[in-house]
Amino acid sequence: CGAVTYDTTYITVDFNSPPTLGLPPNFTAYLDVVGQVCFDIDPNDVDDNLSSVTVTPIGTYNNATEQICFNADTTGTYCFEITATDACGAQVVDSLCIEVIIDQCLHVQIEKTHNSFQGSTEQVHIYQYGSGKEIGGFDMLIAYDISALNVNNVLPGSLIEDCGWEYFTYRQGANGNCGSGCPSGLLRIVSIAETNNGAYHPGCFLDGMLGSLATIEFTVTNDRTYECQYAPVQFFWLDCNDNTFSSRMGDTLWISRNVFDFELNDITNYSGVFPTYFGDPDFCLEGGGPGKPAPIRCVDFTNGGIDIACADSIDARGDLNLNGLAYEIADAVLYSKYFVHGLGVFNINLQGQTAASDVNADGIPLSVADLVYLTRVIVGDALPYPKLDPNSSYEVEMSIDNGTIAIADTDYKVGAMFLIVEGKAEPTLLPEAGDMALEYNYDGKVTRVLVYDIHGKAYLEKGNVLCLNDNYKIKNIELGSYNGYILHAKLNTLPDKFSLSQNYPNPFNPITIIEFALPVKTDWNITIYNILGQQVESFSGEEDAGYMKIEWDASKYASGVYFYRLRAGSFTESKKMILLK
């Protein structure tokens, strides 16, 4: 009775992540003769404890080059299973198949990615899948859609680095004049093996080699109307010099033989004209005259792109804290904290929480209109997943006078207002704001101001609603209606710079408003294009300084994505809109 026994135990906890493999997709290797084939597998281990890589049924792994090599005795298909194991015994297993074909010409392909998250960085490789040619340089022109993708950087591929090529550069922007047929984004990539600037020389010239020539780093748009869509990245030709490869000595130029889409359909057109997605026309083979060498068709190009992930595959709408319960009070509290403190509050899974934030299903995440609708769903005043009406215009006339923000005229109940103010502001609510609440935070550069009602019952109507201190400059205003729609703030002050606003409503059917700002009197032009880059409508004029708007009636056009571009003086800007019938 009263006896006590003590004991002690020690527990060692190891936090370990399994290794990963960066295998290319199944591909075809083109060799001049049968023999050894090597390909990159890019093993990686965040814990830096990778212990082994094995391959079956044939092939060996080279730890120095991070490649697997095998001997192709005949043409045909070879399949492999590759296993990477770390020191803790965690494994990853992946597989791929390679078809070996004898063909001395070059084969270049843009990678097609899958399930790319919006707002994230995605790498797209441009691969060479073997050739019997010694290459001394290349000049590639790549087209993409800037409304869906933005180029952050272009890096030399593994082949360029492994061979020690001396020159690699890239350039963004239009090159030449291709009119309405020009893609919105163009990227030129140029590399030269030997620049003859000293004793150093490259170690190889890509003959018989498989791997990456370049890696493009894209930021994928956060516009949720692009979810589940395919954003193409394609070879493009403005003249005969584009997408060409030079021999090692520079005495031979190889141009397009065939062009394929990402599904490997042949889209080549030798009889075409520039600009084109379909390869070099036949007149590029004319050469420089008698006795002078002409270009040779000996490069096959395959296009790729980025498959943007579907929001529903990331997380459920309305569940911002990812606890499996959508439209509950904690989601509203977290959402309100975002507007005051920024993205740092989404510390569980930024992609999933951003996808869940599009509560009103309008394709725009993280908007103050979503917060309004989320609150109304929670209190039982609205149902989840509202269907937006594409036939209405949502405009609120506002004024700013000596720091007092007023709603001048509106047909809508404003459920929330979000402002970003340059510098340190000390806002106060005015009596006409009623029972609305105010939260704000200064981060050292800007003050983020949120006016809302977490109970989902109060709203703003006509009158003075908010007062700022004397030294202020509003950088952004967002409004959300009591019904969860995004509202357009129309200010009665003169603009201080050129700008093009997002059309409203968007989506629309069949009429939408396009508004733009002119700080000075100038000529202007609005041009509307379809998804193929073809002009469908144009508006122009000369106006004094102020906010201008035009109305586009698209009743005679088909549903789909359209683009509109403003040119005013030296200013130009483009945006995307969606016609939904």
Side-chain angles (χ1 to χ4, degrees), residues 114-382:
H114 301 277
N115 292 320
S116 298
F117 291 139
Q118 295 190 249
S120 66
T121 299
E122 185 67 86
Q123 290 190 338
V124 174
H125 299 280
I126 303 178
Y127 290 112
Q128 173 184 284
Y129 287 128
S131 79
K133 310 293 187 184
E134 285 192 330
I135 301 171
F138 56 78
D139 181 351
M140 293 188 289
L141 186 62
I142 310 298
Y144 60 97
D145 181 358
I146 60 173
S147 63
L149 306 172
N150 182 60
V151 174
N152 294 330
N153 196 12
V154 182
L155 303 172
S158 58
L159 292 182
I160 303 302
E161 291 188 324
D162 292 345
C163 288
W165 277 31
E166 297 183 18
Y167 183 83
F168 182 93
T169 190
Y170 72 96
R171 162 175 190 237
Q172 297 183 61
N175 188 343
N177 182 13
C178 53
S180 62
C182 186
S184 57
L186 280 176
L187 174 69
R188 186 173 296 281
I189 306 173
V190 177
S191 186
I192 303 174
E194 171 71 84
T195 56
N196 296 315
N197 59 349
Y200 177 79
H201 301 289
C204 47
F205 296 90
L206 312 188
D207 50 314
M209 301 179 68
L210 291 77
S212 174
L213 297 173
T215 301
I216 309 172
E217 292 184 350
F218 286 107
T219 295
V220 184
T221 179
N222 207 24
D223 183 344
R224 297 293 148 160
T225 58
Y226 281 91
E227 66 155 324
C228 297
Q229 293 194 26
Y230 169 62
V233 181
Q234 303 166 277
F235 294 101
F236 190 72
W237 284 261
L238 290 173
D239 56 44
C240 299
N241 297 319
D242 296 328
N243 299 309
T244 54
F245 285 71
S246 169
S247 64
R248 176 179 177 180
M249 301 305 296
D251 55 358
T252 304
L253 187 71
W254 295 298
I255 66 174
S256 63
R257 179 177 65 176
N258 295 297
V259 182
F260 302 91
D261 64 17
F262 74 92
E263 293 180 323
L264 302 183
N265 298 308
D266 192 337
I267 59 174
T268 311
N269 184 5
Y270 291 157
S271 61
V273 296
F274 295 123
T276 179
Y277 287 95
F278 311 121
D280 291 288
D282 278 335
F283 58 74
C284 289
L285 299 174
E286 294 175 0
K292 297 180 180 179
I296 299 173
R297 291 196 183 277
C298 206
V299 189
D300 286 351
F301 294 97
T302 302
N303 294 313
I306 291 178
D307 275 331
I308 300 176
C310 300
D312 290 345
S313 70
I314 305 173
D315 200 74
R317 192 190 313 273
D319 184 18
L320 277 84
N321 57 15
L322 307 187
N323 66 355
L325 301 175
Y327 304 101
E328 39 95 9
I329 190 63
D331 294 315
V333 171
L334 179 62
Y335 213 163
S336 66
K337 296 304 179 187
Y338 155 74
F339 285 101
V340 179
H341 299 284
L343 285 171
V345 302
F346 296 144
N347 57 8
I348 302 173
N349 180 328
L350 179 60
Q351 294 297 335
Q353 292 176 279
T354 301
S357 74
D358 185 19
V359 179
N360 64 3
D362 65 351
I364 303 175
L366 303 175
S367 74
V368 71
D370 292 316
L371 175 60
V372 175
Y373 203 87
L374 174 64
T375 305
R376 294 191 62 208
V377 172
I378 291 173
V379 300
D381 189 47

Side-chain angles (χ1 to χ4, degrees), residues 372-373 376 381 412-416 456-459 480-485 487:
V372 175
Y373 203 87
R376 294 191 62 208
D381 189 47
Y412 305 98
K413 299 174 181 178
V414 179
K457 296 181 178 180
Y459 49 83
S481 81
Y482 186 67
N483 294 318
Y485 301 140
L487 299 173

Side-chain angles (χ1 to χ4, degrees), residues 356-560:
S357 74
D358 185 19
V359 179
N360 64 3
D362 65 351
I364 303 175
L366 303 175
S367 74
V368 71
D370 292 316
L371 175 60
V372 175
Y373 203 87
L374 174 64
T375 305
R376 294 191 62 208
V377 172
I378 291 173
V379 300
D381 189 47
L383 296 174
Y385 303 100
K387 181 175 176 59
L388 291 181
D389 179 7
N391 298 286
S392 302
S393 298
Y394 313 121
E395 185 176 90
V396 177
E397 292 188 6
M398 302 186 67
S399 65
I400 304 176
D401 184 16
N402 294 324
T404 297
I405 299 176
I407 297 176
D409 189 24
T410 181
D411 294 328
Y412 305 98
K413 299 174 181 178
V414 179
M417 179 168 61
F418 173 58
L419 297 86
I420 297 179
V421 182
E422 193 171 279
K424 187 174 183 179
E426 298 178 357
T428 56
L429 282 179
L430 298 176
E432 291 176 84
D435 295 330
M436 300 293 280
L438 170 68
E439 288 193 46
Y440 62 93
N441 180 65
Y442 175 60
D443 64 5
K445 294 183 179 180
V446 299
T447 304
R448 301 165 65 90
V449 183
L450 176 65
V451 179
Y452 76 115
D453 177 27
I454 197 169
H455 304 291
K457 296 181 178 180
Y459 49 83
L460 302 173
E461 290 186 293
K462 185 176 180 179
N464 298 330
V465 295
L466 186 70
C467 184
L468 299 173
N469 54 304
D470 292 337
N471 298 319
Y472 70 91
K473 182 178 180 181
I474 296 177
K475 300 183 66 175
N476 184 55
I477 277 188
E478 290 185 25
L479 301 175
S481 81
Y482 186 67
N483 294 318
Y485 301 140
I486 288 181
L487 299 173
H488 176 73
K490 181 182 179 182
L491 299 176
N492 62 2
T493 54
L494 289 178
D496 59 359
K497 63 180 181 179
F498 289 101
S499 66
L500 177 65
S501 300
Q502 184 64 52
N503 68 299
Y504 62 95
N506 188 41
F508 66 96
N509 177 30
I511 297 174
T512 190
I513 304 297
I514 299 173
E515 187 171 286
F516 53 96
L518 305 176
V520 295
K521 182 177 180 178
T522 186
D523 295 327
W524 58 268
N525 174 264
I526 292 280
T527 308
I528 300 174
Y529 303 93
N530 62 20
I531 193 65
L532 299 177
Q534 300 167 324
Q535 179 178 321
V536 299
E537 204 89 53
S538 181
F539 306 86
S540 60
E542 181 184 19
E543 303 290 345
D544 292 326
Y547 293 94
M548 313 300 163
K549 65 180 180 181
I550 62 170
E551 181 181 281
W552 183 42
D553 185 347
S555 55
K556 64 181 180 180
Y557 299 105
S559 296

